[in-house]
Amino acid sequence: EPVVSLAEVLAENEELEKEARAVLGGSDHERCSYSQGAVKRQALYACSTCTPPGGEPAGICLACSYECHGTHRLFELYTKRNFRCDCGNSKFKNLQCKLLPEKSKVNSGNKYNDNFYGLYCTCKRPYPDPEDEIPDEMIQCIVCEDWFHGRHLGAIPPESGDFHEMVCQACMNHCHFLWAYASQLAVPALTKVNSLEDEGIVLKVEESEEQKKEIKKEGGVEHQEMKEEKQTEQFNEPSTSSGSDFLNIYGFCSKFLQKFPVETAKTASESSLCKLKELQSKQFLKKDTATFWPSNWRSKLCTCADCLKMYSELEVQFLTDECDTVLAYENKGTSDQETERRDPLMDTLNSMNRVQQVELICEYNDLKTELTDYLRRFADEGTVVKREDIQHFFEEFQSRKRRRTNRMQYYCS
């Protein structure tokens, strides 16, 4: 029979609570989110009982999953962006929302996929899949928000700590501009040289006649510049004549400008060029695979007017929003819950008078000291703490407490 320590149980429980706070922390478990409109990101569920496969897909918020669908079969969808709760609308034939009965018939802004029927990935299988014996991690695409098996992405996913977001194959074809960024930002970087070497392809670069002429011409220019520089050095020799002073100043300024060129109107305009066009002017690799991205990669995307228009046309404006990430949602949920969490012991103490508070603290300290001493014996002997051991401790503790209470003497002044 497997044995676990109390510390392991507490650690596992804390980890589960942390995960729950991250996923659900940004959602209200008492009030339907419908009144908030299309929520930027929230935890969602699909009810297989009310909207089975073959019917219209629908999503419900956390509060409705508790209040209206508590006994139904639900699919957990994790989180979705820009979604409005469907509970009780025209998609639900025999159910009215208990929290907000008055709702529009449909939410036209909502987007649905096979996840709402409990199917995921390109293989359209449920999760967990009872017929799949291959252990595989599922990763969510940040664009379509579907979940994919790592082996169905066309590329081996990096270690989980090496990347923060993934864009699936279909979404990379839809958002073709991301390939230009992938050469600089993706994990691992999709560089032309590395990828071709991996595939065993060797590029041979030969100079054309025009390139040779250009190189020769540039060499002639360099020779001419060296000649002029020598002349300038001659001009810079000490002289008492006014003409020589002028040439000295001219030579110094020429050399200074060569070493430290000032920003001209041309360089200023170049600095304001579109980042995407600059990347697209270079060679980059396109593959039929998913791509993996590090943290803060969205901040590197160009936000010029042309690119913003392109994002809007492709309906991926959220890619420039760092707060859209699941990580930002989880961090917000965790911080909000930590702020709201209250210590039950402190709540109990605050409801008592001064005398009761002192008595409770003394009892708590006695229990803590005696329990620590009792469990230390098991740790020193290397033996397992069993249920009957804990029961025996509390029986003994209660017995000692009664004996102490019976011996107490009360005096009146």
Side-chain angles (χ1 to χ4, degrees):
E1 186 175 328
V3 177
V4 294
S5 66
L6 184 60
E8 290 173 334
V9 173
L10 293 175
E12 183 180 1
N13 185 62
E14 177 61 27
E15 186 64 27
L16 291 174
E17 287 185 1
K18 184 178 179 181
E19 290 179 7
R21 290 197 300 270
V23 178
L24 306 177
S27 303
D28 194 330
H29 66 280
E30 295 180 344
R31 290 179 288 272
C32 177
S33 64
Y34 180 84
S35 59
Q36 302 175 39
V39 180
K40 192 169 186 178
R41 184 171 290 283
Q42 64 175 319
L44 284 182
Y45 300 83
C47 182
S48 178
T49 306
C50 296
T51 55
E56 293 185 87
I60 59 176
C61 68
L62 176 64
C64 288
S65 73
Y66 292 153
E67 187 67 26
C68 308
H69 305 265
T71 60
H72 297 178
R73 183 169 179 259
L74 301 178
F75 297 126
E76 184 178 0
L77 304 178
Y78 198 52
T79 70
K80 300 287 185 185
R81 70 167 62 87
N82 300 331
F83 199 93
R84 196 173 194 184
C85 180
D86 285 323
C87 180
N89 66 12
S90 60
K91 296 183 177 184
F92 295 79
K93 306 303 180 185
N94 302 313
L95 181 135
Q96 186 179 47
C97 181
K98 298 177 183 178
L99 299 176
L100 279 176
E102 299 299 325
K103 292 182 178 179
S104 300
K105 291 184 178 181
V106 292
N107 295 312
S108 57
N110 288 353
K111 292 185 178 181
Y112 307 90
N113 58 18
D114 288 328
N115 295 175
F116 290 82
Y117 298 120
L119 302 176
Y120 306 89
C121 190
T122 54
C123 59
K124 306 302 178 187
R125 296 294 301 169
Y127 182 82
D129 188 351
E131 298 179 9
D132 187 4
E133 298 179 355
I134 302 175
D136 197 356
E137 181 182 7
M138 295 202 77
I139 309 172
Q140 188 181 34
C141 172
I142 62 164
V143 178
C144 65
E145 298 192 298
D146 195 0
W147 291 82
F148 297 84
H149 296 101
R151 64 185 186 273
H152 294 159
L153 291 171
I156 299 175
E159 293 294 327
S160 58
D162 294 341
F163 73 98
H164 284 258
E165 295 186 303
M166 182 273 290
V167 180
C168 71
Q169 293 162 280
C171 290
M172 284 301 297
N173 292 330
H174 175 66
C175 306
H176 50 85
F177 68 91
L178 287 177
W179 285 112
Y181 289 102
S183 62
Q184 302 288 330
L185 303 175
V187 180
L190 297 179
T191 58
K192 189 77 173 177
V193 175
N194 289 346
S195 300
L196 290 173
E197 286 177 353
D198 293 341
E199 296 172 6
I201 300 174
V202 180
L203 288 180
K204 293 183 179 180
V205 181
E206 297 182 357
E207 297 173 357
S208 63
E209 291 298 324
E210 292 182 359
Q211 288 175 327
K212 289 179 180 178
K213 289 179 181 179
E214 188 68 25
I215 292 171
K216 188 174 181 181
K217 183 179 179 182
E218 289 178 357
V221 173
E222 289 177 0
H223 179 74
Q224 182 67 24
E225 288 177 350
M226 290 176 63
K227 192 173 181 181
E228 290 178 358
E229 187 174 348
K230 286 182 180 179
Q231 291 177 354
T232 305
E233 289 176 355
Q234 292 175 358
F235 288 144
N236 286 339
E237 292 178 0
S239 175
T240 55
S241 67
S242 59
S244 297
D245 290 340
F246 171 77
L247 291 175
N248 266 335
I249 295 171
Y250 172 79
F252 172 78
C253 291
S254 299
K255 294 180 73 175
F256 180 83
L257 290 174
Q258 288 174 2
K259 290 185 178 181
F260 308 100
V262 295
E263 184 177 11
T264 61
K266 183 178 179 180
T267 57
S269 62
E270 287 176 353
S271 63
S272 61
L273 285 175
C274 172
K275 295 179 186 177
L276 177 60
K277 289 181 180 178
E278 184 179 348
L279 289 173
Q280 288 175 333
S281 65
K282 304 175 183 178
Q283 283 190 335
F284 60 88
L285 185 66
K286 286 182 67 175
K287 284 187 171 184
D288 187 23
T289 65
T291 52
F292 306 89
W293 305 82
S295 60
N296 300 326
W297 73 276
R298 298 187 185 207
S299 62
K300 307 293 194 304
L301 297 180
C302 183
T303 54
C304 70
D306 290 339
C307 283
L308 290 177
K309 181 181 178 182
M310 176 185 64
Y311 302 149
S312 179
E313 291 173 350
L314 295 173
E315 297 183 339
V316 292
Q317 305 96 315
F318 52 82
L319 285 179
T320 59
D321 183 6
E322 289 286 348
C323 295
D324 170 77
T325 65
V326 174
L327 181 62
Y329 169 84
E330 291 180 345
N331 290 339
K332 181 180 182 301
T334 302
S335 61
D336 290 349
Q337 288 262 331
E338 289 292 343
T339 303
E340 294 174 2
R341 288 176 72 190
R342 302 176 66 181
D343 189 341
L345 179 60
M346 295 305 298
D347 289 342
T348 305
L349 283 173
N350 291 333
S351 66
M352 296 179 174
N353 59 40
R354 180 66 176 171
V355 175
Q356 290 173 324
Q357 288 177 350
V358 173
E359 290 178 350
L360 179 60
I361 292 172
C362 290
E363 289 292 339
Y364 174 80
N365 287 332
D366 289 342
L367 174 61
K368 179 181 178 182
T369 302
E370 293 189 29
L371 182 58
T372 302
D373 294 340
Y374 180 75
L375 294 176
R376 186 176 289 115
R377 293 183 310 199
F378 291 88
D380 294 340
E381 297 172 2
T383 56
V384 177
V385 182
K386 300 178 181 178
R387 178 183 298 179
E388 50 266 29
D389 295 324
I390 299 298
Q391 291 175 343
H392 176 71
F393 167 79
F394 281 103
E395 288 172 359
E396 287 292 321
F397 181 77
Q398 290 293 341
S399 178
R400 289 192 298 272
K401 180 181 176 181
R402 283 192 294 269
R403 288 197 297 271
R404 287 197 303 268
T405 304
N406 292 336
R407 289 199 302 268
M408 289 179 66
Q409 298 182 5
Y410 296 90
Y411 299 92
C412 295
S413 57

